[in-house]
């Protein structure tokens, strides 16, 4: 079983844009927000919607016995993400076999960007792989409607991988069970450079392996 957790308003919009491209019948989608009004704007009736009220409730709501892969999508400038992102990532690390995070880093060079970078450090600790989109390097950031379309494309490439389940076959990159960190990073870089040249040239995305010490 696969799970995608959208934390915050912008993340919910990104995941909904992803789902508008096609159906992902093998994926469980979870939407999280601390604002009930914003929470209700995204997702479908059959999805799980979690209203976050405190850290303990956050952990209880996200927890599951075991899943093969879990992906957290979050935008690091939002108050909701700054409060809950690291806790959710830790919870996903506790039970999923593979844990990825897709995060965006906002424009502002002031306090929120600095705070976002601190959250990012925590995310890389408990995520096997963190994909970071730097909004300052987004080639279409002057067109608001086009913002995040690169992140949507990247998520689609990963989630549409023909055999993304557990396998000992290295051809199943980036999800083969025996894949090393180096092979995973090489596979993602190849996917990125070959399919998204305008983003690759701009350096929009960067890949960060886990810093967790076992």
């Amino acid at each position: 079983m696969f799970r995608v957790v959208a934390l915050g308003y912008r993340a919910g919009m990104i995941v909904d844009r992803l789902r508008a491209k096609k159906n992902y019948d093998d994926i469980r989608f979870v939407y999280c927000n601390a604002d009930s009004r914003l929470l209700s704007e995204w997702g479908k009736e059959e999805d799980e919607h979690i209203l976050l009220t405190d850290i303990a409730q956050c952990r209880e709501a996200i927890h599951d016995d075991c899943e093969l892969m879990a992906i957290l999508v979050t935008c690091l400038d939002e108050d909701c993400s700054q409060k809950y992102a690291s806790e959710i990532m830790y919870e996903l690390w506790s039970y999923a076999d593979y844990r990825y995070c897709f995060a965006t880093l906002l424009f502002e060079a002031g306090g929120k960007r600095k705070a976002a970078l601190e959250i990012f450090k925590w995310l890389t600790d408990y995520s096997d792989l963190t994909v970071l989109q730097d909004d300052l390097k987004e080639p279409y950031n002057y067109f608001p409607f086009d913002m995040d379309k690169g992140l949507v494309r990247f998520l689609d490439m990963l989630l549409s991988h023909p055999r993304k389940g557990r396998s000992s076959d290295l051809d199943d990159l980036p999800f083969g069970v025996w894949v090393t960190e180096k092979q995973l990073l090489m596979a993602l870089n190849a996917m990125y450079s070959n399919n998204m040249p305008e983003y690759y040239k701009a350096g929009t995305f960067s890949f960060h392996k886990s810093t967790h010490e076992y």
Side-chain angles (χ1 to χ4, degrees):
M1 185 68 177
F2 301 88
R3 175 188 285 197
V4 172
V5 178
L7 173 62
Y9 183 82
R10 185 174 166 191
M13 179 175 62
I14 290 169
V15 172
D16 271 15
R17 290 176 67 180
L18 169 75
R19 300 176 76 184
K21 297 167 70 71
K22 65 183 69 171
N23 290 322
Y24 299 89
D25 295 331
D26 59 340
I27 297 175
R28 174 184 174 189
F29 290 93
V30 183
Y31 293 80
C32 303
N33 207 308
D35 186 316
S36 58
R37 180 181 57 84
L38 298 179
L39 180 63
S40 64
E41 290 196 23
W42 307 118
K44 302 178 181 179
E45 186 176 345
E46 64 269 22
D47 299 325
E48 187 173 353
H49 289 77
I50 299 174
L51 179 62
L52 300 173
T53 56
D54 55 51
I55 296 298
Q57 184 268 352
C58 164
R59 289 174 173 167
E60 182 180 351
I62 294 298
H63 182 75
D64 205 346
D65 292 333
C66 186
E67 285 182 319
L68 177 58
M69 183 178 72
I71 295 177
L72 173 65
V73 182
T74 188
C75 302
L76 299 178
D77 60 309
E78 295 184 12
D79 292 340
C80 180
S81 296
Q82 295 201 357
K83 185 174 182 179
Y84 292 108
S86 59
E87 296 290 339
I88 291 178
M89 195 70 247
Y90 175 77
E91 199 62 36
L92 298 179
W93 175 81
S94 298
Y95 71 80
D97 291 341
Y98 299 95
R99 293 79 49 168
Y100 290 179
C101 179
F102 285 76
T104 68
L105 189 60
L106 67 165
F107 291 109
E108 291 90 338
K112 275 203 168 184
R113 187 174 173 93
K114 183 178 179 180
L117 286 170
E118 289 300 313
I119 297 296
F120 176 74
K121 292 178 183 178
W122 284 99
L123 293 176
T124 58
D125 192 27
Y126 290 109
S127 172
D128 293 319
L129 181 84
T130 304
V131 180
L132 179 68
Q133 172 183 285
D134 191 336
D135 288 351
L136 290 172
K137 299 178 181 179
E138 219 283 352
Y140 303 102
N141 60 31
Y142 42 84
F143 294 127
F145 183 76
D146 288 333
M147 280 291 293
D148 298 320
K149 72 176 186 179
L151 190 58
V152 172
R153 281 173 59 188
F154 213 117
L155 275 167
D156 180 52
M157 283 192 291
L158 288 174
L159 296 176
S160 299
H161 193 275
R163 291 186 296 167
K164 61 179 177 289
R166 186 187 301 274
S167 172
S168 60
D169 188 347
L170 292 184
D171 291 337
D172 284 2
L173 289 168
F175 299 114
V177 71
W178 300 115
V179 173
T180 65
E181 285 184 344
K182 183 178 180 180
Q183 289 169 321
L184 176 60
L185 290 169
M186 288 175 61
L188 290 175
N189 269 301
M191 184 185 294
Y192 177 34
S193 59
N194 292 335
N195 294 282
M196 305 175 65
E198 68 275 36
Y199 295 91
Y200 183 75
K201 183 178 180 181
T204 306
F205 295 100
S206 56
F207 310 116
H208 306 264
K209 64 182 181 180
S210 174
T211 57
H212 192 76
E213 296 183 3
Y214 293 91

